[in-house]
Amino acid sequence: MSDQTPVRDHAVRHHAVRATGVPDAAPRLLSVEPVDPDRDAPVIRSWLAHPASSWWEMAEHDTAAVRRYLRALQEDPAQDGWLGRYAGDALFYVETYDPARVLLTDVHAARRGDVGMHLLVAPPPATGRVHGLTTAVMRAVVEHCRDTLGARRVVVEPDVRNTAVQAKNAEVGFRVLREVEVDGKRALLSVLDTDRIGVRDDGPAAHLRPEHVEPAERHLVAKAIAEFTHERLVAPVADGDHWVLDTGPSRYRFRAERYALEHWVIDESSLTRTRHGAPEPLDAQDLVLELRTVLGIPDALLGTYLDEIASTLASAAAKHRRGGPTAAQLARVASFQAVEAAMTEGHPAFVAANGRIGFGLDEYRAYAPEHGRRFRLRWLAARREHTHLALAADRTEPQHWDAELDPSTVDRFRDVLERRGLDPDAYVWFPVHPWQWQHRIAVTFAPDLGRQDLVDLGDGPDEYQPQQSIRTACNRSRPERSYVKTALAVQNMGFLRGMSPAYMRNTPAVNDWVADLVATDPTLGACGFGVLREHASIGYTGDAHHRVDVASPQRKMLAALWRESPVPRVGPGERLMTMAALLHRDADGRPVIGELVRATGLDPAEWVRRYLHAFLRPVVHCLTRHQLLFMPHGENLVLVLRDGAVERVFMKDIGEEVVVVGDVDVPQDIRRIVHPVDDDEAALGVFTDVFDGVFRYVAPILDAEGLLAERDFWALVGACVDQHAAEHPDRVRAIDFRVPDFEHSCLNRLQLRNTLEMVDLGGQTESLIRAGRMRNPLA
């Protein structure tokens, strides 16, 4: 009821509801009437004082305080209080509210006809519960919201720990959207469509219904056509004001806008498919099969790619079912982790972007980042002689554990080992993902556990939230503590997401070197550019797979790293958001970047200038001055915002993805990051990863929103690189970013060629696939 004032002076509504198990098993009359603060405060106060009502956190209120509370509620045009009776006796209390104006304004995309609801049922009498009565009350309340208040949807937000009320919600048809932070509690945001009262909608596969799968198919097919066209795998032809892609078996027709860098924005609502002239449903897997020869997927890997397409589709359907916050909420008020959980697209370029092959339905809900749920890491003790713990230069092992684990937790770990007759000092603590523990470590490393080279220590106390990068988790119990990235052997976006102990061995040293370079460079300092160091890493090599010189996925199943949290480095009035969020669109299609620009009140061109100064200028400077390239895609950049404008950025994922592209003197132990290439190849670090990987999406959004014309955006990009060149005549590599064209490096082609390992991390340049040359928008 986002634009209505709750109706007040209603006649008492009666709901004939059969409460199974009541005396004589006859239908009983339940009634709902406006609350009377003077009359009803004593009885409601007695209910609130009962331990069963602890979730309301009002046990200490006396009758006068409850009366004041009820009067304040009555006087608020966005809220109402109601007393419910059973057989004439007071039995329950209900609060209804407008979620667009009360409590959920930061986390819920309220629609016309939404009504928020809280329910308090009287504690059971000494004679015992009446079976089925609470369910009957719940149904009467939602019917009251529908019939009296005109609710199209009822919204509730029970505490995540209150499993009893969650079960009652499910019985009348509430469906869980996601976990949110509300009024100081972790809540399970849930909605009930009032035309489906009594229809359970909480099954683990509830998202796999036509109303959710069909829009997900439409979006994925549109994205596939756009990205395969961008990579010159297919070529739609003009047909009046539409475009047509003829795959042979099918004919796809749509409207589209074309932008620089051969970027297509397809109007999804216009997309149709016909087969032999007859309408046919959109089907992303069918599209892949129809284009199988053109896409060049090896026969042996076709099944894997189809699985990743299916999993990506399922993920999109689940996101469609849940909805999410509005773009304005994400841009203006949402917390860093609320924004992270709201992302729906995955990687903007990859078609099969959310594979996660290996997760079951329950595991998907528990560990997929878009659910925003929390989990605890599993901890092992690993025998030191088989384990390598590497630390940054400014961190000793005692300092590391003091920062990441409470003394009581370490004491518990040591006690487990001592009770087994083992020396705790001969072991090191090792975090692992709970999925990895159950599906890989307890199986693949069973001999190591049997030898007690590995010892299970149980769950740690801190709660973590998965990030978009899926195997990285943010500490929600202690946000100042490090992010933890663990091996997670699920197949996702062209890789089995393991981690190499060999790579982990010198990861902190790589990070120290990069961080020192960044910290001592005045240009980077003036931009506010920083890195989030991976300041500790660990890897286990005592297993049989490391006793033979044969590469295998099993060699990448036990490793982890700790990355600095940006939270301690954020000042008053500053907010955090990954750069990937700029491209996110809410359920109504509104983009976050548009809402950010509007929130600042700045001229859009000035907003873009600040963004480029914080992001593009440091990337160009690191390449041309230090011959250092990052992997600056959306999820690897953390933006620091103030009032919606970008102030500075943090770069992350340093150890695996940074590369030195010239003959630079780096310490011998990190020489693996040195891969000299010529200027044209080096420039692709900007042309491919920034221009094609980020700006190709940003510019059309700003153009379509009427904020900044695409040509003006690219003019600002050109001005940024020109200004840097003018101010740095001594740069080591005088790369010309205004060349007419550059090699067109294609991401989907990599995954299509090898869906199991699309890039060799030891030779990333040699792994790339080009599709001719791309016209440079700065030319």
Side-chain angles (χ1 to χ4, degrees), residues 525-538:
C527 294
F529 183 75
V531 296
L532 299 175
R533 288 185 308 157
E534 293 144 4
H535 53 184
S537 64
I538 193 167

Side-chain angles (χ1 to χ4, degrees), residues 386-409:
H386 303 310
T387 308
H388 185 271
L389 175 66
L391 299 166
D394 61 352
R395 177 170 277 213
T396 65
E397 183 174 349
Q399 289 171 334
H400 175 65
W401 298 125
D402 285 347
E404 306 300 338
L405 293 171
D406 294 328
S408 59
T409 302

Side-chain angles (χ1 to χ4, degrees), residues 147-328:
D147 300 338
T148 305
L149 304 179
R152 299 174 187 173
R153 296 196 307 177
V154 181
V155 186
V156 294
E157 18 66 45
D159 193 294
V160 294
R161 299 165 296 175
N162 192 350
T163 55
V165 77
Q166 291 167 28
K168 292 300 174 185
N169 289 342
E171 286 179 7
V172 295
F174 278 95
R175 56 188 171 93
V176 174
L177 297 182
R178 61 192 177 279
E179 292 186 12
V180 295
E181 299 284 348
V182 176
D183 200 25
K185 72 177 180 183
R186 189 73 175 162
L188 207 61
L189 185 65
S190 307
V191 299
L192 166 66
D193 298 301
T194 54
D195 60 354
R196 293 177 59 85
I197 292 174
V199 180
R200 289 189 69 108
D201 195 32
D202 63 337
H207 59 294
L208 300 179
R209 294 175 180 163
E211 63 267 30
H212 306 306
V213 173
E214 287 170 1
E217 289 275 22
R218 177 170 296 277
H219 175 72
L220 192 55
V221 170
K223 179 178 181 179
I225 293 174
E227 291 300 326
F228 291 160
T229 301
H230 170 72
E231 298 194 9
R232 301 173 180 173
L233 289 161
V234 299
V237 297
D239 181 22
D241 64 347
H242 281 64
W243 294 85
V244 171
L245 174 65
D246 193 335
T247 65
S250 298
R251 191 171 186 265
Y252 298 84
R253 194 166 186 269
F254 53 89
R255 289 190 299 270
E257 295 289 339
R258 293 184 299 165
Y259 293 89
L261 296 170
E262 299 178 27
H263 182 65
W264 291 59
V265 177
I266 293 177
D267 177 1
E268 294 180 15
S269 66
S270 71
L271 179 58
T272 60
R273 176 193 181 197
T274 55
R275 193 177 176 93
H276 307 302
E280 191 79 7
L282 297 169
D283 186 312
Q285 287 184 319
D286 270 1
L287 177 64
V288 170
L289 292 175
E290 291 168 356
L291 296 174
R292 177 183 173 189
T293 302
V294 172
L295 299 180
I297 308 172
D299 289 350
L301 298 177
L302 177 62
T304 303
Y305 191 73
L306 290 174
D307 278 354
E308 289 221 42
I309 288 288
S311 184
T312 298
L313 178 74
S315 173
K319 295 164 188 172
H320 178 271
R321 177 177 178 269
R322 287 196 323 276
T326 66

Side-chain angles (χ1 to χ4, degrees), residues 14 180 238 283 344 432 493 510 520 535 589 620 728:
H14 300 279
V180 295
D283 186 312
T344 56
V432 297
M493 210 170 72
V510 170
T520 56
H535 53 184
V620 167
H728 296 84

Side-chain angles (χ1 to χ4, degrees), residues 347-348 577-581 631-638 689 693-694:
H347 197 290
M577 178 184 292
T578 57
M579 191 168 68
M631 185 66 74
H633 61 68
E635 192 57 30
N636 273 357
L637 262 292
V638 179
D689 296 331
V694 180

